[in-house]
Amino acid sequence: MYCLVKFAPLFLAVAVCNGWLFGDFVGKRSELDEISLWPLPQKFQSSAVAFKLSPARFQIVQAKQSSAGPSCSILENAFRLETFSQLVYEDDYGVNNINKTDISDFPRFAHRGILLDSSRHFLPLKVILANLEAMAMNKFNVFHWHIVDDHSFPYMSRTFPELSQKGAYHPFTHVYTPSDVKMVIEFARMRGIRVIPEFDTPGHTESWGNGIKDLLTPCYSDSSPSGAFGPVNPILNSSYDFMTQFFKEISTVFPDAYIHLGGDEVDFSCWESNPDIQRFMVQQGFGTDYSKLESFYIQRLLDIVAATKKGYMVWQEVFDNGVKLKADTQIHVWKGRPQYQDEMAQVTAAGFNALLSTPWYLNRISYGQDWVNIYKADPQNFTGTDAQKKLVIGGEACLWGEYVDATNLTPRLWPRASAVAERLWSDKSVTDVDNAYNRLVQHRCRMVKRGIPAEPLFVGHCRQEYKGL
Amino acid sequence: MYCLVKFAPLFLAVAVCNGWLFGDFVGKRSELDEISLWPLPQKFQSSAVAFKLSPARFQIVQAKQSSAGPSCSILENAFRLETFSQLVYEDDYGVNNINKTDISDFPRFAHRGILLDSSRHFLPLKVILANLEAMAMNKFNVFHWHIVDDHSFPYMSRTFPELSQKGAYHPFTHVYTPSDVKMVIEFARMRGIRVIPEFDTPGHTESWGNGIKDLLTPCYSDSSPSGAFGPVNPILNSSYDFMTQFFKEISTVFPDAYIHLGGDEVDFSCWESNPDIQRFMVQQGFGTDYSKLESFYIQRLLDIVAATKKGYMVWQEVFDNGVKLKADTQIHVWKGRPQYQDEMAQVTAAGFNALLSTPWYLNRISYGQDWVNIYKADPQNFTGTDAQKKLVIGGEACLWGEYVDATNLTPRLWPRASAVAERLWSDKSVTDVDNAYNRLVQHRCRMVKRGIPAEPLFVGHCRQEYKGL
């Protein structure tokens, strides 16, 4: 879909074939310890033959067999290739060197994502862009933007401007304008990263209710409205009319083929308290099974979104509740109970694409080197057939926003998310923790050198320490 | 000892009596919710009478009864008083207001410290200075600088330059020069903060051994030296000669009346392996009790430091091992077993000043609002007489450096250390967690506004979010 993605295997080859012809041969180098690729390529052979790089004369050219012309600006831009730059090391004299290296590379999984949550705390544009840069350094290719939730609605909608006017923490300073959103998408696209927005309904929508009258269910207490509101009201046609218009806008603003529709953690207590909802349940013959009402809502929402020609991702509850889903629906596994391995098996046994996040909730922190367990988790580590394993399209590291904002998000995410990056990119056999530690220590210093405040794994230092706070 | 400390009660009174005479009366204000003092003053009475502050005309003058003249530059400088600035709030029109307020304030404990560790990771000067600024905002008055340890020796000694030349992570980029140290001390002094350096011996000294021949004990394996080294060699006169010269320098570089001498976690295995040490143990009649050898070393070290006219702080092991201590020695309690309450009782029962850190090891992190338990700990919460309680001079929040450096130190420390700040400053009765939450949320936004990346307590926003990464 994007030029960059399409040509990825090609331009890697270009760098391999031609890159160092423009360096100066400087003889053999015995120690390769300065070279630490992350994530590890699928096939990689380095030799001791080293070349010096001259900033003035160095260039990357396309191989003769390349089918991409110079008109592909993304490819031209991408000649700052991540893997190539990791091969360059500074010697004791400050000269950039590179060793003759053959690399043949491709990702193990197609979907390698990071979820950021801009609702619990507003994330300034600068923070999002810096993390897209870090994602590119780690070969992540999906930014799952959990853009709105109960606590605030920072997305500025052209169709319903009152959503952010009344639902954001502040209508001017704590919003993403259409041009902000465009910038995020374009900045990501230039780095081979898709932006998948999540607009989670029918739960997690408290902030939506400020701007849209009657969208949320009025909760009752002692047979009168309590003043509180619950999930989207699933029994009013106006709710679906709103969703139709809203997702029509979203489908044009975000060019990716997929939208994440949420569908998690719907609290039934408000629905249960509301006499109109109770009456509707009887009419529909749902008894007291409110998950049937949830499915009723989701079913209609999926039809609305399908009409925009987008595919959809949903949290696992939507699958668990037996909602009828299009064959290309992607099921996002996040719960710890039942065991995520069982859920992965069930989702793929039903023929759906599965994405894993359960072991990668990076908002959860503990003392010490927790990257090790993050690194050990494998999305295909469940009991199932080869066909089932092939339905696993990847995973996402999630950094939910309750305890993070611009002050601490970046060091909390990196390099812990780098452990996920290697799991999703490199061969399944790449599991040596000691080896990973040594490479990751250097990789995190590389991020620091580029201005990303990636936190240390353990005691030690970087040649260039972080210059911010 | 410092002008600022001496006059602290005085200039607070000045601000109260005269500060707002230079503001414009703007009538009554019903809501005081914008005013959130941290730490809470001992006595505080705010009225609804509000004054506008004009940046052009506002000034603070001394009361007639003030004994400090305009020559006290620290007092002049300190007219940026922390408590006063917290009383100022911005109204909806961006005008700074202040309400008529009477404050009578003094700290509950004299010693309110933060320990930073610049050995496990080097901390750039900028990070130290920013945290001194944050300390002042929280009325901390001691910077306990755990400047060197096993992993690196960044302190550049004039007497023994080889210590940092060979013991720092890098001899030029990862060191504190004499002028760096001077700057830290002066920057702290202007904010009423003492700098107490820690040079921990005889353990935690691996990095010292690179620069000073024969300082450390050679470890043996199968009756020959293994190549590894243990704690400072306590049986050589040269060790004590070195310490005499070294602490003579330290006592002049650091003006504070106290030095922290460490003395924690001495590993006996290397001493046990060394035949010369074994022989010495026999000569001294120590049997196989190596804590007697440790005490032998510490005893001589304390005499050396006492000769420089400095007082000393030590970690609790020195007390636990029964070393003979000067009456003014401060015992720093840090262990969790036995319970720190018992240790506090024993230390004070023996007549020594006690400092608490056990519940305030802020390097230990967990998911969620861990500031609450930090806030609830009280250094006087142990079984003992009033006389014992009076020997508790305060405490320190410790941020050990295994997992922190410039990338993540500041948000990990703040506002969690603010919880310690209030415990050490405010009245014992100030324990309401909900009230503290509301004030601390605003206090952390105040830090963010001043450029300190203090992390969020929970979901929410600041009017001005952090502008860095």
Side-chain angles (χ1 to χ4, degrees):
Chain A
M1 135 168 216
Y2 293 125
C3 173
L4 178 58
V5 174
K6 191 172 166 191
F7 290 112
L10 173 66
F11 65 61
L12 283 166
V14 171
V16 169
C17 302
N18 304 60
W20 41 70
L21 294 181
F22 300 87
D24 297 319
F25 180 72
V26 289
K28 307 226 171 200
R29 180 179 160 82
S30 53
E31 291 175 28
L32 293 177
D33 58 354
E34 298 278 341
I35 299 171
S36 60
L37 298 179
W38 193 280
L40 206 64
Q42 299 283 341
K43 285 184 192 170
F44 165 73
Q45 195 164 21
S46 183
S47 85
V49 181
F51 297 86
K52 275 185 192 170
L53 298 179
S54 152
R57 285 179 293 139
F58 175 73
Q59 55 175 303
I60 293 177
V61 298
Q62 295 185 34
K64 279 181 189 161
Q65 64 271 31
S66 167
S67 60
S71 62
C72 181
S73 64
I74 293 183
L75 183 53
E76 291 294 320
N77 189 289
F79 276 155
R80 12 163 287 155
L81 309 167
E82 283 302 330
T83 305
F84 181 77
S85 72
Q86 294 186 11
L87 289 168
V88 178
Y89 57 90
E90 207 172 300
D91 65 17
D92 294 343
Y93 306 96
V95 173
N96 287 323
N97 284 263
I98 187 164
N99 287 46
K100 182 173 187 306
T101 307
D102 287 293
I103 290 180
S104 167
D105 208 2
F106 53 88
R108 180 176 166 208
F109 295 106
H111 187 118
R112 305 178 305 282
I114 295 273
L115 176 151
L116 296 183
D117 166 3
S118 57
S119 174
R120 271 66 175 232
H121 288 96
F122 179 76
L123 302 177
L125 206 59
K126 182 179 175 181
V127 172
I128 293 178
L129 300 185
N131 280 280
L132 286 168
E133 185 71 34
M135 284 172 65
M137 290 186 72
N138 288 273
K139 296 193 168 64
F140 278 104
N141 70 341
V142 176
F143 170 35
H144 174 165
W145 194 354
H146 187 87
I147 190 167
V148 302
D149 205 296
D150 282 330
H151 302 87
S152 76
F153 197 104
Y155 173 76
M156 194 186 276
S157 162
R158 285 188 195 276
T159 322
F160 301 100
E162 56 274 34
L163 278 166
S164 60
Q165 266 164 27
K166 297 184 179 169
Y169 283 128
H170 188 283
F172 304 132
T173 58
H174 287 60
V175 293
Y176 302 108
T177 65
S179 75
D180 289 340
V181 172
K182 214 168 199 170
M183 184 184 287
V184 167
I185 293 169
E186 181 61 14
F187 193 93
R189 191 175 78 92
M190 294 301 288
R191 285 156 183 78
I193 299 170
R194 305 159 53 195
V195 177
I196 299 183
E198 177 180 354
F199 288 91
D200 189 357
T201 64
H204 290 278
T205 48
E206 201 179 317
S207 69
W208 304 47
N210 300 320
I212 308 295
K213 199 171 165 301
D214 296 333
L215 181 65
L216 304 185
T217 307
C219 313
Y220 277 64
S221 167
D222 298 328
S223 69
S224 60
S226 69
F229 293 89
V232 169
N233 193 330
I235 69 171
L236 300 181
N237 280 328
S238 58
S239 296
Y240 301 101
D241 293 343
F242 166 80
M243 292 297 168
T244 303
Q245 283 187 268
F246 183 74
F247 278 102
K248 191 178 164 195
E249 172 184 325
I250 298 306
S251 70
T252 56
V253 169
F254 292 90
D256 197 77
Y258 279 81
I259 299 177
H260 202 301
L261 297 176
D264 59 320
E265 297 185 310
V266 182
D267 178 8
F268 295 148
S269 59
C270 182
W271 281 349
E272 287 167 356
S273 77
N274 183 302
D276 297 330
I277 303 267
Q278 290 162 7
R279 211 169 301 124
F280 186 82
M281 293 283 289
V282 174
Q283 283 170 12
Q284 296 287 328
F286 291 164
T288 55
D289 185 353
Y290 283 83
S291 73
K292 285 184 176 155
L293 181 60
E294 182 186 350
S295 297
F296 173 87
Y297 168 82
I298 294 274
Q299 197 67 65
R300 291 190 64 173
L301 179 70
L302 296 187
D303 292 344
I304 286 167
V305 174
T308 69
K309 311 290 182 197
K310 295 284 187 181
Y312 39 76
M313 299 171 63
V314 289
W315 295 110
Q316 71 177 72
E317 285 97 320
V318 176
F319 168 80
D320 295 345
N321 288 338
V323 175
K324 199 181 131 202
L325 296 164
K326 281 198 302 177
D328 66 345
T329 304
Q330 301 178 345
I331 311 296
H332 199 158
V333 174
W334 71 278
K335 287 188 160 192
R337 288 177 200 172
Q339 277 195 58
Y340 70 81
Q341 290 88 344
D342 297 342
E343 182 79 8
M344 293 294 283
Q346 286 166 27
V347 168
T348 53
F352 291 106
N353 281 319
L355 278 164
L356 183 63
S357 278
T358 310
W360 297 326
Y361 265 39
L362 303 192
N363 48 301
R364 302 206 155 264
I365 53 170
S366 58
Y367 191 56
Q369 297 201 41
D370 65 352
W371 72 273
V372 176
N373 282 330
I374 295 167
Y375 187 72
K376 284 180 176 169
D378 191 304
Q380 288 179 327
N381 182 23
F382 61 86
T383 310
T385 64
D386 283 355
Q388 277 176 272
K389 301 294 171 80
K390 279 185 184 153
L391 288 168
V392 178
I393 59 169
E396 292 185 1
C398 300
L399 193 68
W400 294 101
E402 281 84 351
Y403 300 101
V404 292
D405 68 2
T407 63
N408 63 346
L409 182 147
T410 311
R412 191 160 293 189
L413 186 56
W414 308 104
R416 292 160 78 233
S418 303
V420 180
E422 178 150 298
R423 182 59 51 238
L424 294 174
W425 180 280
S426 306
D427 190 75
K428 192 173 185 152
S429 64
V430 178
T431 55
D432 183 327
V433 170
D434 292 337
N435 178 280
Y437 177 85
N438 291 328
R439 284 182 296 113
L440 192 50
V441 162
Q442 292 182 60
H443 184 57
R444 98 92 189 177
C445 284
R446 199 153 44 211
M447 288 193 270
V448 167
K449 194 174 171 180
R450 278 217 209 158
I452 306 290
E455 68 180 21
L457 292 180
F458 194 52
V459 172
H461 77 292
C462 294
R463 198 182 282 201
Q464 293 180 25
E465 301 290 356
Y466 184 59
K467 293 197 169 57
L469 262 195
Chain B
M1 141 167 213
Y2 294 124
C3 172
L4 179 58
V5 174
K6 191 172 168 190
F7 291 112
L10 173 66
F11 65 62
L12 284 166
V14 171
V16 170
C17 302
N18 304 62
W20 41 68
L21 294 181
F22 300 90
D24 298 319
F25 180 69
V26 288
K28 307 229 170 197
R29 182 180 157 83
S30 55
E31 291 174 29
L32 294 176
D33 58 356
E34 298 277 342
I35 300 170
S36 60
L37 299 179
W38 193 280
L40 204 66
Q42 298 285 341
K43 285 184 193 171
F44 165 72
Q45 194 164 21
S46 183
S47 86
V49 181
F51 297 87
K52 276 186 191 169
L53 298 179
S54 152
R57 285 181 293 141
F58 174 75
Q59 55 175 304
I60 293 178
V61 299
Q62 294 184 36
K64 281 183 186 159
Q65 65 271 32
S66 168
S67 59
S71 62
C72 181
S73 64
I74 292 183
L75 182 53
E76 291 295 321
N77 190 288
F79 276 154
R80 10 163 286 155
L81 310 168
E82 283 303 331
T83 305
F84 181 78
S85 72
Q86 294 186 10
L87 289 169
V88 178
Y89 59 90
E90 206 171 302
D91 65 18
D92 295 342
Y93 305 96
V95 174
N96 287 322
N97 283 264
I98 188 165
N99 287 46
K100 182 173 188 306
T101 307
D102 288 292
I103 292 180
S104 168
D105 208 3
F106 53 87
R108 180 176 165 207
F109 294 106
H111 188 118
R112 304 178 306 281
I114 295 272
L115 177 150
L116 297 182
D117 166 4
S118 57
S119 174
R120 271 65 176 232
H121 288 96
F122 178 76
L123 303 177
L125 205 59
K126 183 179 173 179
V127 171
I128 293 178
L129 299 186
N131 280 280
L132 286 168
E133 185 71 34
M135 284 173 66
M137 289 187 74
N138 289 273
K139 296 194 168 65
F140 278 105
N141 70 341
V142 176
F143 170 34
H144 174 166
W145 194 353
H146 188 88
I147 189 166
V148 302
D149 205 297
D150 282 331
H151 302 87
S152 77
F153 197 104
Y155 172 77
M156 193 186 276
S157 162
R158 286 188 192 277
T159 322
F160 300 100
E162 57 274 34
L163 278 165
S164 61
Q165 266 163 28
K166 297 185 179 168
Y169 282 129
H170 188 283
F172 303 131
T173 59
H174 288 60
V175 292
Y176 302 107
T177 65
S179 75
D180 289 340
V181 171
K182 214 170 198 167
M183 184 183 288
V184 167
I185 293 169
E186 181 62 12
F187 192 92
R189 191 175 78 89
M190 294 302 286
R191 286 157 183 77
I193 299 171
R194 304 159 54 194
V195 177
I196 300 183
E198 178 181 352
F199 288 91
D200 188 358
T201 66
H204 291 277
T205 48
E206 201 179 316
S207 68
W208 303 47
N210 299 319
I212 308 296
K213 197 171 169 298
D214 296 333
L215 180 65
L216 304 184
T217 308
C219 313
Y220 277 64
S221 167
D222 299 329
S223 69
S224 60
S226 70
F229 293 88
V232 168
N233 193 329
I235 69 171
L236 298 182
N237 281 329
S238 58
S239 296
Y240 301 100
D241 293 342
F242 165 80
M243 293 296 168
T244 303
Q245 283 187 271
F246 183 74
F247 279 101
K248 190 176 164 197
E249 172 183 326
I250 297 308
S251 70
T252 57
V253 168
F254 292 90
D256 196 78
Y258 278 81
I259 298 176
H260 201 301
L261 297 176
D264 58 320
E265 299 183 309
V266 182
D267 177 7
F268 295 148
S269 59
C270 183
W271 279 349
E272 288 168 355
S273 76
N274 182 303
D276 296 329
I277 303 267
Q278 290 162 5
R279 209 169 303 122
F280 186 82
M281 292 285 286
V282 174
Q283 283 169 13
Q284 297 287 327
F286 291 163
T288 57
D289 184 354
Y290 282 83
S291 72
K292 285 183 177 157
L293 180 60
E294 182 186 349
S295 296
F296 173 87
Y297 168 82
I298 293 276
Q299 197 67 65
R300 290 191 63 172
L301 178 70
L302 296 187
D303 292 344
I304 287 167
V305 174
T308 69
K309 310 290 182 199
K310 295 283 187 183
Y312 39 77
M313 297 171 64
V314 289
W315 295 110
Q316 71 177 70
E317 285 98 321
V318 176
F319 168 79
D320 296 345
N321 288 339
V323 175
K324 198 180 134 205
L325 296 165
K326 280 199 302 177
D328 65 346
T329 303
Q330 301 178 345
I331 311 296
H332 199 157
V333 174
W334 70 278
K335 288 187 159 190
R337 287 178 201 173
Q339 279 194 58
Y340 70 81
Q341 291 88 344
D342 296 343
E343 182 79 10
M344 292 295 282
Q346 285 166 28
V347 168
T348 53
F352 290 106
N353 281 319
L355 277 165
L356 183 63
S357 278
T358 309
W360 296 326
Y361 264 41
L362 302 191
N363 48 301
R364 301 207 156 263
I365 53 169
S366 58
Y367 191 55
Q369 297 201 41
D370 64 352
W371 72 273
V372 176
N373 282 332
I374 294 167
Y375 187 71
K376 285 180 176 169
D378 192 305
Q380 288 179 329
N381 182 22
F382 62 86
T383 309
T385 63
D386 284 355
Q388 278 176 273
K389 301 294 171 81
K390 280 185 186 153
L391 288 169
V392 178
I393 58 169
E396 292 186 0
C398 300
L399 193 69
W400 294 100
E402 281 84 350
Y403 301 100
V404 292
D405 68 2
T407 62
N408 63 346
L409 182 147
T410 311
R412 191 159 293 188
L413 186 57
W414 308 103
R416 293 161 77 233
S418 303
V420 181
E422 178 150 300
R423 182 58 50 239
L424 294 174
W425 179 280
S426 304
D427 190 74
K428 192 173 186 152
S429 65
V430 178
T431 55
D432 183 327
V433 170
D434 292 337
N435 177 281
Y437 177 84
N438 292 328
R439 285 182 295 114
L440 192 50
V441 162
Q442 293 182 59
H443 184 57
R444 97 96 187 173
C445 285
R446 199 151 45 210
M447 288 193 270
V448 168
K449 193 174 170 180
R450 278 218 208 156
I452 307 290
E455 68 180 20
L457 292 181
F458 194 51
V459 172
H461 77 291
C462 294
R463 198 182 282 201
Q464 292 179 27
E465 301 291 355
Y466 184 59
K467 292 197 169 55
L469 262 194

